[in-house]
Structures are given as C-alpha cells and as structure tokens.
Amino acid sequence: MLSSNSLFFILLLGFFCVCYGFDPVDEYLIDCGSSKDTNFGNRVFVSDKSGSGSKFLSVSQDILADNTKSSDSPIYQTARVFTQTSSYKFPITKLGRHWIRLHFSPFVYQSYDMSLATFSVSTQQNVLLGNFSPKKDVSVKEFSVNVTTGDLVITFSPLSDSFAYVNALEVVSVPDSLITDDASTFGPSGVFSGMYAQALETVARVNMGGPAVSSENDTLWRSWVPDKDYLTQPDFAKSLSKIGSVKYLAGGATSDIAPPSVYGTCTKMNVDGAGNDASANFNVTWVFNVDVGFQYFIRLHLCDIVSTAANQLLFNMYVDSSNIASDFDLSSKVQSRLATAYYVDFVTPQANTNNISISIGPSPKSGFPDAFLNGVELLKLNNSRGSLADVSSIPPPSSSGSKKNIGVIVGAVVGVTLVLLVIGFLFCMRRRRKQEQLGLSKTWIPLSIGGGGLSHTMGSKYSNGTTLSAASNLSYRIPFAAMLAATKKFDESLVIGIGGFGKVFKGVLNDGTNVAIKRGNPSSQQGLREFQTEIEMLSQFRHRHLVSLIGYCDEKNEMILVYEYMENGTLKSHLYGSDMPSMSWKQRLEICIGAARGLHYLHTSYAKAVIHRDVKSANILLDENMMAKVADFGLSKAGPELDQTHVSTAVKGSFGYLDPEYFRRQQLTEKSDVYSFGVVLFEVLCARPVIDPSLPREMVNLAEWAMKWQKKGQLEQIIDPNLAGKIRPDSLRKFGETAEKCLADFGVDRPSMGDVLWNLEYALQLQEAVIQVDPDENSSNLIGELSPQVNDFSHVNATTSAMQFEASNLDDLSGVSMSKVFSQLVKSEGR
Ligand SMILES: *[C@@H]1O[C@H](CO)[C@@H](O)[C@H](O)[C@H]1NC(C)=O
Ligand SMILES: *[C@@H]1O[C@H](CO)[C@@H](O)[C@H](O)[C@H]1NC(C)=O
Ligand SMILES: *[C@@H]1O[C@H](CO)[C@@H](O)[C@H](O)[C@H]1NC(C)=O
Ligand SMILES: *[C@@H]1O[C@H](CO)[C@@H](O)[C@H](O)[C@H]1NC(C)=O
Ligand SMILES: *[C@@H]1O[C@H](CO)[C@@H](O)[C@H](O)[C@H]1NC(C)=O
C-alpha cells in the first residue's frame, strides 16, 4: 500500500518535472533571418528581422537568406548571413550559467554557399568557435557560459574572404545547481575547483542503452543521442531499460540533471548477470573524439537498474587507462537503494590524443561480474586564453611546392638587419641544390604541462606549477635530437637569418618538409618570455595569413621554434635592396590585403585583442604563391582589458614604424599596429626603406615624406618608378587616403584594421575596374566612418630627428629593435 503510494508520488513528480521542469529567467530564442516567428519543438523562436528579436542584433548589412522550398524544419529554412563582424546582444537578468545554442544548416542563397562559410563566434569572454565551417545538414553547437555582466554579446566574425551565417540561436538560463564549482574525482587525485569560470562546449551527450532523447523531452532542452556509435565492441555490451523505476533522491540527481529516460536505460556488460557468468572479464568501452590540448569535463550518470539487491555489484570505471573508480559501489552513494539516479563529475588533464575512452569493467570484489553506465556527458573546457576554439590539429605545413629548394625564409627575426637578411638570402641561393633527406624521425610529442609524465593520469597535475604555462596550449614539442638532425647539428651554412633572438636555420624534417628553425641564443636579451609569447600566440592563432608554428623544443634549456618555411621570404626583400623582379600593383595590393587580414584577425578574433607590436615589411612573409603571412609574435601583447583603454608598457617595436603616440605615452592599443601598417603601405607604394639616412633631410623618414605628398594630393610623384603609369588614379587615391588615415597622430583617429582591410579591398576593385566610380563622387565619402582627422606631423619632428641622429651611421634601421637604439632614451623594463 505504502510502496504503491510512493511509486505514484514519484511518477507524479516525474510527470511534474517533465511538464514544468526548470523555468529559465532568461530565454531568448531567435529565428535568424526570418521575417516571422517560428514554432520549433514546442517553443517559439522569434524573428530577428521584424519580430521582437530584431532589437538584439547589430549588423552592418542586412542579408536575410531563405530557402523556403526545402523540406527542412522551418527554423532551418532561413539564416542570417554576415559579411562583416556582427553581434547579437542580450540583456541578462539573472547572472550565472546560460546555454548558448547555435543552429547551423547550410544552403545556397544567391552568391552565398553556406557550406563554404568560415568564421569565428565569440562572447565578450570566450571564443566559442574558431575557423568554424559548418557543413553537416544540421549542426547544433551547444555552449554553457557563466555570464557575469548584464549583457551577453555573441559576435560572428567572418574569416578571410569568407562570411558567417547562423540559422537560429538560443540563450537560456541554466539552473545554478547543474554544474557546481568542484568536479569531484575518485581516488587520491583530488578535486578540480573553478568550474564556475569555465566556458563549456558540449562534445557528446549520450543516453547509454536507450534511444535518442530529443530536446522536447528534456527539462533543459538538451538532446541525448544513443551510444552505439561510440561503443568500440558492441558485442561486449547489452542494453537494459526500466524507465518507470527511476527514483530521484533528495540531495542527489534531479530530473534536471538528466531525465528518467536517460537514467532508466543503461548499457551493461554482455553477461547474464546474477552470477551466471562468473568468469566474465572484459571491459565495455566507448570512445569519443576530442581536440588535443583541451581539458574535458566528464559527467557519468549512474542508476542501478541491473542488480536485484543492493551492495552486491561493484565495478571499475576508467577514463583512458586511468582507473577513476575501483570497486565502485553505487549502493553506498544512494542509501543502498536500487534504481536511484546518481552522477559523478571528472575533469581530465589536457587531452594528448584525439580520443578519450571511457570504460567499465568487472571488479573482483563484486558479488558477480557486471558493470553498467546510464549516461555520459562530455564537455570541453576553455583553454587558458578563455578559448574553446579548436586549434589542436596542427595542419601539416603545405608541403606542395616546397620541393623547390629556392628562396629564403626569414623565420621572423626580431632585430635582424637588412644587411644580414640579404647575406642570408644570397647564401641560401648559392646553396640551391637538391633536397636532402636527412632521415630523422619526426616524433611529435604532445605538450604536457607540469613537467609530469605524458600519461593521461587523473589528478595531481591540477595543483602542479607549470614549467611552461604560457605554452600550455598545444603546440608540438619536438625532441632536440630531431632538431639536430634537421639542421645537421645547426650547421652554420644553413643559417638564413640572424636576429636579436638568435639564428634562423633552414631545416628539413624527415618527411621532406622544409622548415625555418629559430634557435634562441641563451644569452639573448629576448629571453624566455618572448619565446613563450611566441609559442602561445602562434598556437592559439591559426589563420591563413599568420605564419604557422609547427613545433618547438625546450629540452636542455634550448629555446627553439619551428615554423613553416616561407618560400618567398620577406615582403621587404621584394620591395628593395635585392634584385628580385618588381611586383605589380595588384600583387602588392593583394599582399597588403593578406597582411591586413592577419592583423585584423589578431585584433578581433579573440575575446581580448592581441597587439602585434612589431608590424613591418620584414615581418610580412610570402609563401610560394606570394600569399602574405604575418610573422614574429615575440613582442605581442594581449590588448587592453575591457575596462581599460590601453596597455601600459615600455616602448618596443621597430624604428621607422613606431606609433608616435605610443612613443610619447607608452600606452599600447591596436591602433599602434594600424600606424605601423600605414608605414608599410607607403613602403609598398614607394619601394624604399622607411628610414634612409643617406637621403636629403626631408626625405629620410618615409612616413613624413609620403604624408607631405599625400596631403598635397601628389602622391604619384614619389611612387616606385616601376609602378609609374600602372596604377589607376582612383585606386591610388583610395590607397593613399587609407595609409594617411592609418598615420593619424592620435590612435582614436585611425581606422580599425577591419576598415583598413575594407578600403584596401576597395582599392583593389578600383584597380581592377570592377567598380565604376562616379567622377563627382569624392571617394572619401566611401570611408565615411573613418575620421578625416589626420594631424600634422610636426608634433613628432623633434622625436624623429633625434632618432635620425642616433641612427645616422646605419644604412637601414627599420629592422633594428627599438630597445637597442633607444636604450638610453627609453627606460625599458629589464628583460
Ligand atoms: C558565476 O561566476 C561567479 C563569479 O564570477 C560565481 O560567483 C558564480 O557562482 C558563478 N555561477 C555559476 C553557476 O557557476
Ligand atoms: C518524448 O517522450 C515520449 C515518451 O517517452 C515519446 O512518446 C515522444 O515521442 C518523445 N518525443 C520526442 C519528440 O522524442
Ligand atoms: C579494462 O581497461 C583498463 C584500462 O584500459 C585496463 O587496465 C584493464 O586491464 C581492462 N580490463 C580488462 C578486463 O580488460
Ligand atoms: C581513436 O579511436 C578510433 C576508433 O577506436 C581509432 O580508429 C583511432 O585510431 C583512435 N585514434 C587515436 C589517436 O587513438
Ligand atoms: C578558462 O577561462 C578562465 C577565464 O575565463 C580561466 O580562469 C580558466 O583557467 C580557463 N580554463 C582552463 C582549463 O584553462
């Protein structure tokens, strides 16, 4: 009598939970690109065009895509297309965790083939998706972030020449109790604290032994998938279902943790159970695909619907080869009751392979051999930069075309002089010969932090100090022996550049990949910090227009960085000082556009802007297709925090490119890079060194000289003679205006890299005459958002002449590190 009453009560409770469940305070459901509200899975997604959703969106262009002929669910028949960085901003009433769900279903709309879109998505704090290209029929990306400010801004940033899109999005409150601050672990390993600060991405949410559970049947609108695709050996497993018997105990799991349809089914060892198969001894294993270099949160859902009596079944659970729970006795966790919902949370160390496996197997202490699991959730934790973006799979450097053994890479050298560069270059040219196979073995050892072993063990690592924490985000550590082999023991004849950091060697890995190997000089001024910065930056930032880091070596106090080899050397070497053929205007524009894209990506793609700090033509490298890539991140700094407007720092950078405002105030913003880039633009146009002391006084400083002519409207007087008559006047005017704005005396008056990029693209179109310009139209109207204010250069004359004086006995100083020339003038922080 009593028991049937309580069963009734439990069923009623379950019914209650499913019907009403959690009532989210914040709930924004947006049907992107739709002009009407749409019902989807019993919920209404509002239009962001005319509906109440429109107030959340800020876009510069309004591209609504639709595909109403398709038979897809209505929310997937429309999308927003973003050709520029665009955001949704949602006011948050209740701070704390929120789901962000992004729905993608590509289709072709006009010229936008969404399966080709590549973009990043970020919030103010976290990068959610990087270089993402959703191609599947429908993909739903789910994130859970703790919102700590009154707004949540979700920004879509198209990459390169691509665009972004989204079909629908959800921002919904999550109950505070769903993910607590600590993820407990079994055994001696301890506890991972600080879950509250983590942004999480759902990798897998699996209902063991049961069917898919759709979002409508989950109180928090989660979707669960069956486990059969994850099982390594389905024969070893069998499923069981007793959904009606699931109980939730006060203080334990609730139906918000997982619904009865998850707890009520399980996958167990394929044994008869109850001792009929006493010698069974095997594991049931599920394998999940993960990204190297990230930590993962694992939630195991357990509910004993297998046993007939409590405290009889004990079993083992493993994550990879680590035993996370020996002789686990679920009964002891749930007051010796059967069929009672329970869960445990783990955080793994950084993954060092693409697989995480979860296994269950019998314990010798058990009354009978069996083991079961009801559900698994696997969530990715953000990395130390707050990013969830997959930067793990380091693509092999493009080896196509690298068989030609010509050219030179300057693997991004700080403080290298042009003279040395040219010597290095000529040296390499002389060494042109057939590629040798060095027969070394390229052993990729994934980076592990904490100096601990590489094994994937639970625990202890969390509390360890890290030896190379800046570099903890997945680059590849390469054994020193492989470095010796690749460079013939650092044979001097392979040196292709020398800089403040040390020497750059050309190397060949055993698979024939050409690489540039930069070996830090232990006594160099630029020490460990720049080494770490470079690894960290380049591991985090992967972009077509940023030079890729292939790996590094920090064995035996070495500081060695291995980069992709850039066949065509520096932009600078193609402009002057060598006998290379002159580049066409179109080629130059394309290079500028590529470099601008790389910088734009650095400035915008992560929650915090990254400032390069040493933008110059010697740091723009060209691959075999003359595609530009920005190099040398040794000086890079994360940009200002949200509440600050600048980073205060000792002046570093290169002579001739230095932002006068930065020099005066020692305050760094991304606009300092914009200034330096403006100098590069003039350098590209005029093909001369940025500082040339051999010239008459007023011509020494290129920026000053070019601005004088630009202001007179006679820039064509000083352009590279090779370009004379080959640049269309509109294109030149647009280019000159863009460079001029970059050189505005005050950072606030300079355009963003995004604007610069846009204007350079426009200059290219004008050159190609894609656009017919109305002769009456003042082209400066087209960049109306750019401030027209460009201040007179006289402010900086005093400074620049001091520089010229100091520097007058060198031919070209643009490569010389500021801190060297001005060690007397600028009090530089010791490094
Ligand atoms: C969110 O973060 C704040 C601190 O910024 C913390 O106090 C709060 O407990 C967190 N909420 C959750 C649900 O983790
Ligand atoms: C939800 O669950 C009920 C009962 O388990 C089932 O009949 C129904 O089809 C489910 N709904 C969806 C959308 O899966
Ligand atoms: C189950 O897997 C763990 C971890 O890989 C392993 O140590 C153990 O020997 C396996 N047990 C059986 C019975 O195969
Ligand atoms: C990951 O697991 C799959 C399937 O079991 C296997 O084919 C693959 O080799 C594994 N990869 C790694 C890196 O362990
Ligand atoms: C995730 O980002 C937060 C800051 O947003 C940071 O405190 C935390 O350490 C990061 N997590 C990991 C695993 O690095």
Side-chain angles (χ1 to χ4, degrees), residues 125-126 192 194 197-199 295 350 381-387 473:
Q125 308 297 332
N126 304 106
F192 178 94
Q198 306 299 319
Q295 290 185 265
Q350 283 188 351
L381 267 57
N382 64 257
N383 64 19
S384 61
R385 290 187 59 85
S387 174
N473 294 293

Side-chain angles (χ1 to χ4, degrees), residues 236 269 280-285 316-323 357 359-362:
F236 287 7
M269 284 171 66
N281 189 16
F282 55 86
N283 288 336
V284 177
T285 301
N316 296 334
M317 296 194 279
Y318 310 90
V319 171
D320 291 339
S321 53
S322 304
N323 194 336
S357 68
S359 310
I360 51 173

Side-chain angles (χ1 to χ4, degrees), residues 618-648:
N619 279 340
I620 297 171
L621 304 184
L622 303 172
D623 74 1
E624 69 272 19
N625 302 316
M626 297 297 276
M627 188 168 90
K629 298 191 185 211
V630 178
D632 200 342
F633 296 82
L635 295 180
S636 304
K637 266 217 180 359
E641 300 284 351
L642 297 172
D643 55 339
Q644 296 172 333
T645 53
H646 64 267
V647 176
S648 186

Side-chain angles (χ1 to χ4, degrees), residues 207-210 237-243 261-268 303-307 370 372-374:
N207 179 21
M208 269 60 189
K238 86 183 187 187
S239 50
L240 195 63
S241 173
K242 287 185 187 170
I243 295 176
S261 46
V262 171
Y263 279 118
T265 65
C266 72
T267 292
K268 61 185 282 297
C303 179
D304 188 352
I305 54 173
V306 172
S307 306
D370 206 344
F372 63 86
L373 194 57
N374 304 66

Side-chain angles (χ1 to χ4, degrees), residues 65 115 120 130 240 345 387 403 582 621 711 767:
S115 65
S120 303
L240 195 63
D345 294 340
S387 174
K403 296 289 176 250
S582 167
L621 304 184
K711 285 187 177 156
Q767 178 68 14

